[in-house]
Amino acid sequence: MSDIIVSASPHVRKKRTTRGIMLDVLIALLPATVAGLVFFGARAAVTIVLSVFGAVATEWVWLLCKKTSIKAIARQFDLTSVVTGLLLALTLPPLDYKYFYIPLLSSIFAVGVAKMLFGGTGKNIVNPAIAGRVFAFISFQSPMVSGWMRPLFGSVDSVAVSSATPLTSMLGDSIGAMGVSNLDLLLGTGVMGCIGETCKIALLVGFVYLVVRRVVKWQWPVIYVAVCGLISCAMGKSMNYFLPSVLSGGLLLGAIFMATDYVTSPNNKWACYVYYVLLGVVTALLRFGTKIEVVSFAILLLNLIVPLLNMWIRPRPFGATPIPQLIKQKCADLKAKLGKKKQKEGEQQ
Amino acid sequence: MIKPQEIRKIGVDGLLRNNPTFRLVLGTCPTLALTTAAMNGIGMGLAVTFVLIFSNAIISALRKVIPNEVRIPAFVLIIATFVTLLRMLLDKFIPSLYESMGVYLPLIVVNCIILGRAESFASKNPVVHSAFDGLFTGLGFTLALTLMGAIREILGAGAIFGVTLWDFRIEFFSSSAGAFFVYGISIALFNFVYTKVESRMHKRKFEKLYGHQELTVQEEAK
């Protein structure tokens, strides 16, 4: 017996590393990035390069200031900042070259403030890319809102598309005036929007890859998107709203790549159900309330309640009292307590 | 009367060691709301300084008359008197500042810095000491607000004291989220520098007393 030594937990190990998972995410983002480059050309390329550079540089400079040697940094480098930079760039509109500082500053904010200030990888309370996007959106409203660019090809001929994103016109008018068919929305042809969010097919390909590689569970994005779509239908009182509301804006990008971030989503099943349903509800309501695209704000808001969800909804340990029995017990306890109170009152009287 | 060393001690306390904004984190409401511009910060800071000096002096003079049980209402009454006075003065002589401070001017009555100094200093110390304490605490508050206001104005509006510097603005810093961000960062930096300086000063004092001995762990253990 004494020959056997039990090491400390965890006993079940996988060869998976943070770097491997992040590489998977990068591969999954590849189709969307390529689609963005095809649709928006050099502008998209510049935005993506600047944003990724800003994110990685911020992380490395921060670690250098903490007196870590370059070798150690390179050894520990887990690609999270590359993912943050790329995701952030995909949520920015293809900006004019004179706004080169927007992707730079917002990626510096994303990594420096939202991630490193809270202790680095795995300790951030909000998704860094989302924080960066919201920073850009609040700080540079005019280029972020009016900086939309016509895609390089596609059938842009309707008036509705030329003024704003399809989503804004959808929220503003009835569906008939939208001018973009669901197929256009799905392929991203002739749709204005942020670099990574217009081509939904590319995002879906990435989603399938993530599910196959088991990086993301398929339920979560599906729940989020479905709830958001259904509530949009309820608000618009027509089932025709489902596809446009799901396929326009940054909903798919947010649902697949941002809401499912390991660090900022709840860590057990039931809390996750609550989280993603709430996300759908908040996104749909905010969309109709504010008439702008709010997926990033919804995710930011819900990220903040994740610690509470983790605290309130805990996984039940194996062998714990089953829930129906627990409820019965509680009821019995309550009855006993009430009975005692009544008795006491009776005695006092 | 008051000695120069005492003034120095009260000064260091008010400006640095007990800086109301960065060390005690008091009076956060005007700090967050009014620091969109450096000028607002100065205005608010000086208004609070004015009230602090007089309320501290009066409360200190009356400290033996006011019964302990009703001291808080009595303090608030005295503070409110001076705030009302200040409002009338500002309305008459500097109407632009009066308007820019809006609701935060009457709210000085319930500013916890003033009540805090009354409770912790003025009700226990002589009149002149208390007046000096009010002056330096108020100046510490002014300094902090001006600093934050300057940072937010430069980054958020591309200007300083109303003079436009450049056309580049990060509107994040003018918003309330930016206020919290700048506040947090300034508290962190201030405390970082302050503790560094303080520990160095302690070391120097120690060396003055005991010569250049190194205090090792073994000696401490003995």
Side-chain angles (χ1 to χ4, degrees):
Chain A
M1 268 310 274
S2 59
D3 292 344
I4 301 167
I5 301 164
V6 179
S7 65
S9 62
H11 302 294
V12 182
R13 287 165 196 270
K14 279 187 180 175
K15 281 188 178 168
R16 234 172 195 192
T17 54
T18 313
R19 198 186 300 190
I21 291 173
M22 288 303 145
L23 196 64
D24 274 345
V25 176
L26 279 181
I27 293 171
L29 279 171
L30 208 61
T33 315
V34 171
L37 290 177
V38 169
F39 283 131
F40 300 110
R43 278 191 185 187
V46 170
T47 309
I48 290 173
V49 167
L50 283 175
S51 171
V52 173
F53 169 77
V56 177
T58 315
E59 189 182 55
W60 284 49
V61 167
W62 184 285
L63 290 173
L64 275 182
C65 290
K66 283 177 78 186
K67 293 176 186 136
T68 325
S69 70
I70 290 236
K71 246 187 188 171
I73 297 174
R75 206 173 51 235
Q76 290 167 359
F77 186 58
D78 53 13
L79 293 174
T80 41
S81 51
V82 179
V83 171
T84 301
L86 185 58
L87 265 180
L88 174 63
L90 293 186
T91 60
L92 295 175
L95 294 157
D96 204 350
Y97 299 124
K98 71 179 177 201
Y99 295 125
F100 68 92
Y101 53 83
I102 294 180
L104 260 184
L105 280 179
S106 40
S107 63
I108 289 172
F109 183 88
V111 174
V113 175
K115 186 171 133 196
M116 299 320 271
L117 263 184
F118 287 93
T121 309
K123 300 204 172 95
N124 44 307
I125 52 171
V126 296
N127 187 326
I130 294 269
R133 182 194 144 88
V134 168
F135 172 79
F137 189 77
I138 293 176
S139 302
F140 311 105
Q141 284 205 350
S142 52
M144 284 290 288
V145 174
S146 60
W148 306 106
M149 172 190 162
R150 274 160 186 276
L152 293 181
F153 59 84
S155 53
V156 192
D157 45 28
S158 72
V159 192
V161 223
S162 57
S163 56
T165 56
L167 185 72
T168 0
S169 47
M170 180 191 101
L171 292 172
D173 306 303
S174 58
I175 293 190
M178 233 173 68
V180 184
S181 69
N182 287 337
L183 188 69
D184 276 342
L185 282 176
L186 187 66
L187 296 174
T189 45
V191 177
M192 292 194 210
C194 298
I195 295 170
E197 70 181 23
T198 51
C199 185
K200 310 299 172 190
I201 281 283
L203 288 171
L204 289 174
V205 169
F207 177 50
V208 170
Y209 177 80
L210 285 183
V211 171
V212 169
R213 295 283 298 167
R214 298 201 184 168
V215 176
V216 166
K217 275 193 186 170
W218 65 270
Q219 294 98 319
W220 308 139
V222 170
I223 289 177
Y224 177 14
V225 168
V227 169
C228 183
L230 286 178
I231 296 211
S232 303
C233 291
M235 303 281 287
K237 287 174 189 154
S238 153
M239 280 312 269
N240 293 340
Y241 270 87
F242 189 83
L243 276 178
S245 67
V246 164
L247 291 177
S248 57
L251 181 59
L252 280 184
L253 181 65
I256 295 169
F257 292 100
M258 289 166 159
T260 54
D261 178 16
Y262 287 155
V263 184
T264 53
S265 57
N267 52 18
N268 68 76
K269 198 172 74 182
W270 288 106
C272 268
Y273 277 118
V274 175
Y275 175 67
Y276 288 104
V277 168
L278 269 180
L279 257 178
V281 173
V282 170
T283 307
L285 291 184
L286 275 181
R287 260 187 181 178
F288 277 86
T290 57
K291 308 269 178 208
I292 50 169
E293 180 53 329
V294 286
V295 171
S296 48
F297 284 93
I299 297 177
L300 189 73
L301 214 64
L302 269 283
N303 273 345
L304 296 178
I305 69 155
V306 165
L308 295 177
L309 285 179
N310 280 338
M311 216 155 61
W312 288 337
I313 305 172
R314 299 202 168 189
R316 302 178 57 71
F318 180 70
T321 344
I323 290 179
Q325 211 174 322
L326 202 75
I327 293 173
K328 262 185 203 167
Q329 260 180 21
K330 291 261 165 173
C331 286
D333 285 356
L334 211 67
K335 261 185 193 168
K337 250 189 196 170
L338 283 176
K340 266 186 194 171
K341 247 189 192 172
K342 272 186 185 168
Q343 261 186 2
K344 266 189 188 172
E345 278 171 7
E347 280 168 15
Q348 276 172 0
Q349 281 170 1
Chain B
M1 278 312 280
I2 193 163
K3 291 178 200 155
Q5 295 114 308
E6 284 174 325
I7 295 183
R8 207 183 135 204
K9 190 180 169 295
I10 291 173
V12 172
D13 264 2
L15 288 173
L16 303 172
R17 190 177 300 144
N18 285 340
N19 186 300
T21 312
F22 292 148
R23 296 280 291 179
L24 305 180
V25 199
L26 290 177
T28 31
C29 172
T31 310
L32 293 169
L34 277 174
T35 49
T36 44
M39 209 55 218
N40 287 354
I42 289 190
M44 185 68 200
L46 290 183
V48 168
T49 311
F50 170 83
V51 177
L52 252 178
I53 294 172
F54 288 102
S55 71
N56 258 12
I58 300 290
I59 287 167
S60 170
L62 296 175
R63 68 184 187 278
K64 282 167 191 156
V65 184
I66 299 172
N68 201 30
E69 292 79 17
V70 293
R71 65 184 192 285
I72 300 288
F75 293 168
V76 172
L77 195 68
I78 293 166
I79 295 165
T81 312
F82 285 104
V83 173
T84 314
L85 210 70
L86 179 74
R87 281 185 71 192
M88 289 171 177
L89 284 174
L90 280 185
D91 197 10
K92 172 83 177 111
F93 294 108
I94 324 174
S96 61
L97 191 65
Y98 177 78
E99 260 157 43
S100 79
M101 287 208 277
V103 72
Y104 293 97
L105 196 55
L107 275 181
I108 295 179
V109 177
V110 285
N111 192 321
C112 39
I113 299 170
I114 299 176
L115 205 60
R117 290 330 284 174
E119 177 78 9
S120 67
F121 197 92
S123 58
K124 292 167 193 153
N125 288 290
V127 176
V128 183
H129 289 68
S130 301
F132 270 107
D133 180 71
L135 173 68
F136 285 117
T137 311
L139 285 183
F141 186 59
T142 313
L143 203 75
L145 284 200
T146 315
L147 202 72
M148 273 181 63
I151 295 172
R152 287 183 65 194
E153 200 178 353
I154 290 174
L155 291 172
I160 182 82
F161 292 109
V163 183
T164 312
L165 295 176
W166 47 68
D167 201 28
F168 174 69
R169 43 191 69 177
I170 308 174
E171 275 155 47
F172 170 72
F173 288 101
S174 325
S175 67
S176 43
F180 279 100
F181 179 70
V182 172
Y183 194 21
I185 297 281
S186 340
I187 289 178
L189 282 181
F190 186 88
N191 281 284
F192 177 72
V193 174
Y194 180 78
T195 41
K196 276 260 156 101
V197 172
E198 198 180 34
S199 68
R200 193 165 295 169
M201 266 163 60
H202 278 309
K203 205 176 165 192
R204 204 175 292 159
K205 214 178 253 176
F206 179 81
E207 281 172 355
K208 221 183 232 170
L209 282 174
Y210 301 106
H212 287 278
Q213 293 168 342
E214 285 289 317
L215 186 68
T216 61
V217 181
Q218 283 176 344
E219 276 172 329
E220 259 184 355
K222 278 174 193 171

